[in-house]
Amino acid sequence: MPGKRISPEMEAVYVISVAASLSGMHPQTLRIYERRGLIEPFRTPGGTRRYSDADLERLSLIQGLTGQGINIEGVKRIIALEEENRFLRDEVRRLRRQKKAAQETAIAATEALQETRRNLAGEILVRRDILRFPDFPR
């Protein structure tokens, strides 16, 4: 179902040995990355690490960046900037939707006001002919 989030324990299905194998890294490397704050696997009530596909994608990103010679602190900063970028893009999309809704509301209100003015203008003309009201600006 689109838009429905799966709970972290349902997403995180890989134990550390499987995640290490799938990512091509040693399990100790995954533990180091966790201690350094680069990755945060789900923990079962018993404390066992469980990795998700998103965690594996992040490990692949980390591996690519460190393979290019970027140190752990640089990788942390890049990941933080990417997350901030993602947040800001989502915020821009949300604000654009709000702007569009506000514009549509303003257009509808303007059209309603113009219709009201047209209706009132006819009534005023009739009354002006009968009661001799002064001219009103339109």
Side-chain angles (χ1 to χ4, degrees), residues 12-56:
V13 294
Y14 307 108
V15 294
I16 193 166
S17 59
V18 174
S21 176
L22 290 172
S23 65
M25 297 179 184
H26 192 277
Q28 190 60 34
T29 304
L30 274 59
R31 291 183 190 98
I32 291 169
Y33 288 165
E34 182 182 0
R35 274 197 305 273
R36 296 290 195 95
L38 290 172
I39 193 153
E40 191 175 336
F42 175 78
R43 293 286 189 137
T44 66
T48 305
R49 293 172 179 88
R50 299 279 186 205
Y51 294 85
S52 66
D53 288 328
D55 293 327
L56 295 178

Side-chain angles (χ1 to χ4, degrees), residues 4-136:
K4 187 173 181 178
R5 280 289 292 163
I6 299 173
S7 63
E9 60 270 16
M10 295 299 290
E11 288 181 352
V13 294
Y14 307 108
V15 294
I16 193 166
S17 59
V18 174
S21 176
L22 290 172
S23 65
M25 297 179 184
H26 192 277
Q28 190 60 34
T29 304
L30 274 59
R31 291 183 190 98
I32 291 169
Y33 288 165
E34 182 182 0
R35 274 197 305 273
R36 296 290 195 95
L38 290 172
I39 193 153
E40 191 175 336
F42 175 78
R43 293 286 189 137
T44 66
T48 305
R49 293 172 179 88
R50 299 279 186 205
Y51 294 85
S52 66
D53 288 328
D55 293 327
L56 295 178
E57 286 177 27
R58 179 170 276 203
L59 288 170
S60 177
L61 172 66
I62 294 167
Q63 192 173 38
L65 292 171
T66 56
Q68 294 176 26
I70 299 172
N71 66 22
I72 297 297
E73 289 305 311
V75 171
K76 281 176 73 170
R77 185 68 181 135
I78 289 169
I79 289 172
L81 289 170
E82 284 184 350
E83 288 173 354
E84 184 178 357
N85 248 350
R86 192 174 308 111
F87 170 79
L88 291 172
R89 280 193 302 269
D90 291 346
E91 186 71 5
V92 166
R93 277 191 285 275
R94 185 185 67 77
L95 291 171
R96 283 183 177 154
R97 283 192 302 271
Q98 280 184 339
K99 177 185 172 191
K100 183 178 180 183
Q103 287 172 330
E104 289 169 356
T105 301
I107 289 169
T110 301
E111 289 171 353
L113 179 62
Q114 289 172 346
E115 180 65 24
T116 302
R117 283 182 176 164
R118 281 192 295 272
N119 292 339
L120 289 177
E123 290 178 24
I124 292 171
L125 286 177
V126 171
R127 289 181 182 160
R128 187 178 337 147
D129 291 344
I130 296 171
L131 300 175
R132 301 190 195 283
F133 283 125
D135 286 335
F136 291 103

